[in-house]
Amino acid sequence: MESVWDYPRPPRVEACTRRVRVVLEGVMIADTTRALRVLETSHPPVYYIPPEDVRGEYLRRNRRRTFCEFKGAAGYYDLVVGEREVRDAAWSYPEPAAGFEALRDHVAFYPGRVDAAFVDDEQVRAQAGDFYGGWITADIEGPFKGGPGTAGW
């Protein structure tokens, strides 16, 4: 088991060889064994997928931007599969801050905004709230930041 309270702050980026998949409308949007995992105190891991392992034809960059004090400016994508459009389903760091260069152009997905997200064969649970985008698996324990009443953690 991993406790999110043992994760560092500032966050750490590490290679992950587990199979990471994202599915929307029956389409495999992403499938990789080359993800990067970002670990930060109180947060479930976020998986960043290399652009070569993401079906880019389903991503549409939108105007949303956010700023992370550690990773820098993020840009967002909508996912469009057939008639279905999911706003702000994914994000990336085109010019990440120093120390996070490995994340350049990798794509992270909110697991709660797609039909299914998997680590190996386990379907993950989404981190509560609509900001952080963590992936909760059976080997991760909290409590997790993101739900009601956790903003001050």
Side-chain angles (χ1 to χ4, degrees):
M1 290 294 287
E2 292 181 8
S3 170
V4 297
W5 293 96
D6 293 331
Y7 293 164
R9 186 167 174 88
R12 177 176 72 233
V13 178
E14 64 181 31
C16 176
T17 59
R18 296 176 74 182
R19 186 174 182 203
V20 175
R21 295 176 289 148
V22 175
V23 178
L24 183 70
E25 291 293 319
V27 174
M28 186 75 65
I29 302 296
D31 188 351
T32 192
T33 56
R34 303 178 307 131
L36 297 174
R37 197 168 79 131
V38 173
L39 308 177
E40 182 176 356
T41 305
S42 77
H43 301 282
V46 175
Y47 292 84
Y48 287 79
I49 301 171
E52 307 83 46
D53 296 339
V54 176
R55 305 241 345 242
E57 68 267 29
Y58 296 107
L59 296 178
R60 185 176 65 212
R61 188 168 288 281
N62 65 35
R63 293 177 178 230
R64 182 172 182 210
R65 303 288 179 267
T66 59
F67 185 80
C68 170
E69 65 183 304
F70 302 112
K71 296 180 289 293
Y76 287 75
Y77 298 93
D78 301 331
L79 278 177
V80 181
V81 177
E83 298 295 315
R84 186 167 173 200
E85 177 181 341
V86 181
R87 299 271 310 146
D88 300 329
W91 72 95
S92 69
Y93 290 93
E95 298 291 332
F100 293 90
E101 294 90 352
L103 295 179
R104 183 179 314 280
D105 296 326
H106 283 54
V107 181
F109 293 86
Y110 285 99
R113 296 183 187 177
V114 296
D115 293 340
F118 298 88
V119 174
D120 291 331
D121 291 326
E122 179 183 356
Q123 186 168 349
V124 305
R125 291 182 297 125
Q127 180 176 8
D130 63 354
F131 186 74
Y132 299 107
W135 294 37
I136 301 172
T137 56
D139 56 346
I140 305 296
E141 60 185 6
F144 309 110
K145 186 171 184 174
T150 66
W153 290 7

